Amino acid sequence: MNTAGALAAFLEHKDGLKWLFKQRDIPKFIYLLSELSVGNNLQLANNASLVLARLTVIESGCKLILNHKKWSSILKHLFSILSKNVSGPCQNAAFCIGRLFEIKLGFDRFNELKLANKIVVHLHQMLNNTRLPFSKSACFALTCMNTKEVGHHLVLKRIESGVMLLKAVDLIHSEDQELAHLAALLFQSFSSHTFGNLLIRRAPKLLKRIKSLKSITKPTDLLYADLEAIIKLYQPPSAPSNLHVKVLSPFEITASWDPVQFKTLLPLEYKLINVDDSQSFYEGTKASIHLQDLHPFYSYSFGVKATTQCDEGPVSNIVHIQMPESKPTVPLELRLIGIEFEQVHLNWAPPAYPNGVLLGYSIMQNEQVIEKTLDQSCIVIGLQHGTLYTLQVCAYTSVGNGPSAEIEFETPLKSII
């Protein structure tokens, strides 16, 4: 028992680890330690498991265990220690397991033994344990598991993952600064993958708890840095700056802005809108766009926002644009409301899109203007009786005539009698 304790202290130093790795019987030694760790002598189990924990501090020590010919027995011993929930050995086992999970082979080994999910359950229980050493060890082990994508999904795809996340935020408020720091590292590890990041952003309770971290008084410098990193990670993107809009024609513009410097795991996109009615013209990753099919003679108030799947930042500077005039669209509902031997009475509705200030309407025959009017009706005289006619009506602005509506009719014959 004393030998195991002395060895654990000796292995705190690099030279001690170097000495141990040079020993020929180290595989036998590792297996013996795992057996002693599950024994009934608590002090001996604590010291033996502590030696194993010291061994897994470095990656080569982890690989010695994972490539051991009796690796399955050793890992089962570690799980057995973890499940007993005994202070001392349990914390040491949690440390070992966390370190082993940082290597993909470790995840594969535990998964092969069907222990991975059970380990997450026990670590969650430890996280909720009121005794600080248990909570600290659970924070460390879960943080290690989160380093790999497979471990991250294993932890967060459980039903109680939301509860686990809330508990991690609560522990950041702990008066024990070491526990607060470990809990902050755990929460950052949850946030370091897209899956966890999205899960947190879509949980109002969690976002509210994150905001409460600002209220923590007198944190250590280390914890303060942790808090700053977490709070910053869940802030919405800032507003794009220097939005410029250039009018190319009555129908098209180009818009450009400075890209937002924003660290996020989620794809950052931009949304160009008309702030007057929130109409969106563009959503994409580029910081410039060529827009067509806009309305001539229309007033736009362009603004751009940076967005992610879960957040929308404030709008940029607003650029007000009055689009130039263009030719109007075709007059609507052209029809005859009266016809006689030598004249016809026409009526129509205004164009759907005037595209400027309407100056009037032109009535044409064979592309020659025969009448002009400001009204939406006209009497055309001087026609021949019994004759087929085709007339056109178009609206015009200062830019020119728009397309014309066309109507065909035949004047009646005069009676000979």
Side-chain angles (χ1 to χ4, degrees):
M1 181 171 65
N2 291 333
T3 302
L7 184 58
F10 180 59
L11 294 181
E12 280 191 81
H13 306 284
K14 289 183 179 179
D15 290 340
L17 286 169
K18 288 180 181 179
W19 171 83
L20 181 62
F21 285 123
K22 290 179 181 178
Q23 306 308 305
R24 293 177 57 186
D25 292 334
I26 189 170
K28 292 181 180 179
F29 179 63
I30 290 173
Y31 183 71
L32 176 62
L33 287 170
S34 74
E35 285 197 314
L36 293 173
S37 297
V38 293
N40 293 324
N41 186 317
L42 179 59
Q43 187 62 46
L44 181 58
N46 184 48
N47 289 337
S49 60
L50 183 58
V51 174
L52 286 175
R54 296 273 190 260
L55 188 66
T56 56
V57 167
I58 57 176
E59 187 173 333
S60 54
C62 294
K63 289 181 177 179
L64 274 175
I65 293 174
L66 295 173
N67 291 311
H68 198 286
K69 65 179 181 180
K70 294 185 177 181
W71 63 267
S72 61
S73 296
I74 297 171
L75 297 190
K76 287 176 182 177
H77 287 158
L78 288 174
F79 174 73
S80 176
I81 302 167
L82 186 74
S83 61
K84 286 180 179 178
N85 211 29
V86 177
S87 182
C90 183
Q91 288 94 278
N92 295 332
F95 183 93
C96 289
I97 289 170
R99 289 289 296 141
L100 294 173
F101 261 102
E102 285 190 293
I103 300 172
K104 187 178 182 303
L105 179 60
F107 173 85
D108 293 339
R109 295 292 204 206
F110 281 115
N111 212 33
E112 186 178 339
L113 295 174
K114 301 187 184 321
L115 293 177
N117 282 305
K118 294 178 181 178
I119 286 170
V120 174
V121 171
H122 282 290
L123 290 176
H124 186 204
Q125 292 171 352
M126 287 177 64
L127 195 67
N128 287 283
N129 197 304
T130 55
R131 290 175 288 179
L132 293 183
F134 285 86
S135 298
K136 291 178 182 180
S137 298
C139 283
F140 175 82
L142 288 167
T143 300
C144 292
M145 293 179 76
N146 274 323
T147 57
K148 298 294 182 184
E149 194 75 28
V150 288
H152 178 75
H153 280 264
L154 172 70
V155 173
L156 286 185
K157 280 190 173 179
R158 300 194 58 78
I159 296 173
E160 70 274 12
S161 61
V163 179
M164 189 186 298
L165 288 164
L166 286 169
K167 183 63 179 179
V169 179
D170 288 343
L171 290 177
I172 298 174
H173 289 270
S174 172
E175 294 181 1
D176 185 289
Q177 292 293 309
E178 183 184 15
L179 176 56
H181 171 59
L182 288 169
L185 290 179
L186 173 58
F187 198 83
Q188 287 184 71
S189 73
F190 284 131
S191 305
S192 64
H193 300 271
T194 303
F195 179 73
N197 201 286
L198 276 172
L199 184 67
I200 293 168
R201 288 177 182 276
R202 290 170 176 167
K205 284 186 178 180
L206 274 170
L207 292 177
K208 188 176 180 180
R209 297 283 184 90
I210 291 171
K211 290 179 181 178
S212 74
L213 296 178
K214 295 179 181 179
S215 64
I216 294 179
T217 57
K218 298 181 180 179
T220 63
D221 290 343
L222 190 59
L223 181 57
Y224 180 80
D226 295 333
L227 299 179
E228 284 285 296
I230 293 171
I231 293 169
K232 188 175 181 180
L233 187 61
Y234 290 97
Q235 287 179 337
S238 57
S241 58
N242 297 321
L243 172 62
H244 295 284
V245 179
K246 182 179 180 181
V247 177
L248 302 180
S249 78
F251 302 93
E252 59 184 329
I253 64 161
T254 58
S256 62
W257 53 89
D258 293 342
V260 171
Q261 302 302 317
F262 183 65
K263 291 183 179 180
T264 176
L265 294 174
L266 308 179
L268 185 70
E269 293 191 345
Y270 299 101
K271 181 189 291 186
L272 184 68
I273 61 169
N274 180 17
V275 296
D276 293 335
D277 59 10
S278 298
Q279 180 185 3
S280 178
F281 296 99
Y282 165 75
E283 293 184 25
T285 57
K286 294 181 180 179
S288 63
I289 184 64
H290 180 193
L291 289 181
Q292 303 181 70
D293 299 325
L294 297 176
H295 294 303
F297 204 61
Y298 191 87
S299 294
Y300 291 97
S301 297
F302 289 108
V304 64
K305 297 178 179 181
T307 67
T308 67
Q309 289 173 265
C310 300
D311 296 303
E312 186 171 275
V315 71
S316 67
N317 57 299
I318 309 300
V319 178
H320 301 282
I321 294 293
Q322 172 74 51
M323 300 298 287
E325 283 190 293
S326 183
K327 297 176 182 180
T329 57
V330 63
L332 303 175
E333 302 173 18
L334 176 60
R335 67 186 189 276
L336 291 175
I337 60 172
I339 185 168
E340 298 182 15
F341 299 113
E342 297 176 351
Q343 68 180 33
V344 67
H345 192 181
L346 302 176
N347 180 269
W348 58 86
Y353 298 101
N355 294 337
V357 178
L358 283 182
L359 300 179
Y361 298 90
S362 296
I363 296 86
M364 297 174 291
Q365 182 182 14
N366 299 325
E367 299 185 357
Q368 298 297 316
V369 177
I370 57 175
E371 293 284 347
K372 283 195 173 185
T373 180
L374 295 174
D375 300 323
Q376 290 165 221
S377 65
C378 179
I379 297 175
V380 180
I381 61 175
L383 304 177
Q384 301 293 321
H385 66 92
T387 304
L388 184 64
Y389 286 93
T390 301
L391 298 180
Q392 299 87 28
V393 178
C394 69
Y396 60 92
T397 64
S398 62
V399 179
N401 291 340
S404 58
E406 188 173 88
I407 191 167
E408 188 178 85
F409 60 91
E410 185 176 359
T411 55
L413 286 169
K414 285 185 178 180
S415 175
I416 300 176
I417 301 173

